[in-house]
Amino acid sequence: MLSDNLIIQFPKIGSEQQGYISIAEVGKTCPFEIQRTYWIYDCPEFMKRGGHAHRHNLHQILICVAGQVEVALFDGVEKKAFTLDNPTMGLYQPPLVWGDLIYQQNSVLLVLASKLYAAEDYIRDYQEFLQIAHSAREG
Ligand code: T46
């Protein structure tokens, strides 16, 4: 089952006059060591991306630093939908969880990831994902 605590609230420091800074720190607001960060931007309005899960222990935090991104997470049993529209909010995506994302125009999604990129780590076939998620649950 997907945890009820997937949203991470980052500290927000600053003021309306100065602007703000938010911080993700390993061991504090980030529950894993970060090996990679990437960001997705300049998507056309309502662009659908994602549509995959990761085979191994890839932990991620998704942060919409501008605009709005809809994220649906599915662990093979339970589906949860999130609207990311605030740079103080992170969405924790655990390993072996399918993610579908829809981007509004001018959105920027920053992702903190626990592992380096590995193309073979991706499960892009939905039926294969269901089988692997089912087997993982069976132990
Ligand atoms: C995820 C969502 C939120 C790399 O070469 N290195 C990388 O670290 C990444 C993330 C991607 N790429 C290449 C692989 C593809 O040729 O960039 C291209 C686009 O990747 P993809 O189609 O996987 O992009 P999204 O937006 O569907 O998914 C990405 C991440 O790949 C994925 O792990 O969780 O963002």
Side-chain angles (χ1 to χ4, degrees):
M1 298 283 276
L2 280 171
S3 161
D4 287 334
N5 302 314
L6 296 175
I7 295 294
I8 295 169
Q9 197 61 48
F10 297 113
K12 177 180 179 177
I13 300 172
S15 65
E16 237 174 73
Q17 292 75 30
Q18 289 181 301
Y20 297 94
I21 181 168
S22 287
I23 308 111
E25 276 186 286
V26 174
K28 291 186 181 171
T29 45
C30 180
F32 52 80
E33 295 287 331
I34 300 164
Q35 286 199 358
R36 176 171 55 113
T37 180
Y38 59 90
W39 44 99
I40 297 163
Y41 53 94
D42 280 354
C43 297
E45 181 76 341
F46 303 129
M47 181 68 200
K48 289 185 185 173
R49 299 184 63 115
H52 45 62
H54 294 272
R55 280 171 214 282
H56 298 120
N57 284 335
L58 180 72
H59 301 260
Q60 299 199 121
I61 296 176
L62 317 181
I63 307 162
C64 180
V65 293
Q68 183 172 313
V69 180
E70 304 290 337
V71 184
L73 296 182
F74 181 52
D75 66 358
V77 176
E78 193 181 8
K79 191 175 252 186
K80 287 190 176 174
F82 302 87
T83 299
L84 305 185
D85 59 359
N86 187 324
T88 67
M89 186 209 289
L91 174 62
Y92 171 58
Q93 181 179 9
L96 210 55
V97 167
W98 187 274
D100 287 312
L101 295 89
I102 302 176
Y103 291 77
Q104 282 193 0
Q105 209 169 13
N106 299 324
S107 297
V108 182
L109 187 77
L110 174 67
V111 182
L112 313 178
S114 67
K115 291 198 171 212
L116 301 181
Y117 176 72
E120 64 278 9
D121 190 42
Y122 284 69
I123 310 167
R124 294 185 185 270
D125 182 273
Y126 192 67
Q127 292 308 321
E128 188 189 1
F129 164 70
L130 292 176
Q131 279 171 9
I132 293 172
H134 180 74
S135 304
R137 273 197 308 281
E138 298 295 297

